[in-house]
Structures are given as C-alpha cells and as structure tokens.
Amino acid sequence: PYSMLDRRLKSLGLTMLLSTAWDLLIAALGLVFPFQLAAWMRVEIEPGQLFYWQLWPLLHLLLPCFCILAWMDTKHNIVIVAGAIFARLIYALYMFIGVLWRDAGAAWAVMGGVSLAIALLHYVLLRLSDFGLWEVFSRAGNPPTIRTR
C-alpha cells in the first residue's frame, strides 16, 4: 500500500510541475506578447494602460513559485497543493464570472476551464494519496497528531 501511495504522490507532484509549466507559458506570452494576448482575450488596452494589463501575467508567475516546491517534495509540502487547489478554483470562478457578466471573450472560459481542470486533477490525486483537502488546509499540512496552537 505504501508503494501505491508513493506513486500517487509522485503523480500529484508531476501535476504540480505541469501546472507550473502552464502558468509559466501564460506569463511568458503575456509579458512578451501583451497586445496579442489581450486581443485573443478581447481586452482593449488603452494607451498608458499596458502596465495594468501586465499585472495579470505576473499573477501567473506567483503560483509556480510555490508549485515547484510542491513538486520537489510533495509529501512535506502538501499544504501547497491544497492552497493551489483553492487558488485555481478562485481563478476559474473569476474567469467564468467574467464570461457570464462582463461579456469577456471565450478565451476567458478556456483559461478558467484549464484552471478548473488542473484543480480537479490535483484534488483527485490528493484524495487518492489519502489526504483530505480541508484537513490538509486547516492543519497547515501537519499530521493529526501534531497539535496547533
């Protein structure tokens, strides 16, 4: 049973690496080709507003900083996986709300869908690895025997 759990944790770590690659790709595209990415996402950048648009790709640089740690040692950094799941769900919700109420382009739905798919994949592998999402998050990754203050 422990070898199966180790394989599942390794798979979970690989999905963290996959999500890191996705976020780095989006960040690179947004920083190098901001106008093309904005056109694809149907965002109009007014003169002098490029700085604010470039904050969005920088958001995609934050999550890989933590996800790479979870990939390197998934079991000891399991709380990062839980945080990544919540962050991706919030991001997906924001993108879907943008599509429904702000008349954003379909690219927003694609971005939200990819984020949701990654969050679900993380969640399934987290559960298969005998971790519960809320238990990990509420205990900050500590096992049940360790008491928090």
Side-chain angles (χ1 to χ4, degrees):
Y2 291 113
S3 64
M4 179 65 80
L5 287 177
D6 282 341
R7 276 185 276 160
R8 289 182 177 152
L9 278 171
K10 200 169 284 213
S11 297
L12 181 58
L14 287 176
T15 63
M16 296 303 285
L17 185 62
L18 173 78
S19 69
T20 297
W22 166 255
D23 283 321
L24 289 175
L25 174 71
I26 296 301
L29 288 174
L31 291 172
V32 176
F33 304 110
F35 295 107
Q36 291 84 350
L37 187 63
W40 181 66
M41 294 188 69
R42 287 193 349 184
V43 173
E44 293 183 25
I45 302 175
E46 296 179 21
Q49 298 295 318
L50 179 62
F51 171 76
Y52 299 109
W53 170 249
Q54 287 178 328
L55 292 177
W56 180 76
L58 290 176
L59 172 71
H60 279 274
L61 285 177
L62 287 178
L63 206 51
C65 294
F66 298 100
C67 290
I68 200 77
L69 296 173
W71 166 70
M72 291 169 66
D73 190 357
T74 309
K75 188 174 184 179
H76 290 107
N77 293 320
I78 199 71
V79 72
I80 294 174
V81 176
I85 292 170
F86 283 122
R88 292 204 177 276
L89 289 175
I90 292 168
Y91 181 84
L93 181 66
Y94 178 81
M95 297 304 261
F96 293 143
I97 287 172
V99 170
L100 294 175
W101 283 301
R102 295 173 133 199
D103 194 34
W108 286 55
V110 170
M111 300 292 286
V114 169
S115 181
L116 184 61
I118 291 172
L120 289 174
L121 183 60
H122 288 336
Y123 178 75
V124 167
L125 289 171
L126 183 77
R127 293 297 298 153
L128 289 174
S129 301
D130 279 351
F131 288 101
L133 178 63
W134 183 248
E135 290 82 11
V136 168
F137 193 75
S138 64
R139 295 178 191 271
N142 292 319
T145 56
I146 296 178
R147 306 240 176 208
T148 57
R149 292 188 227 181

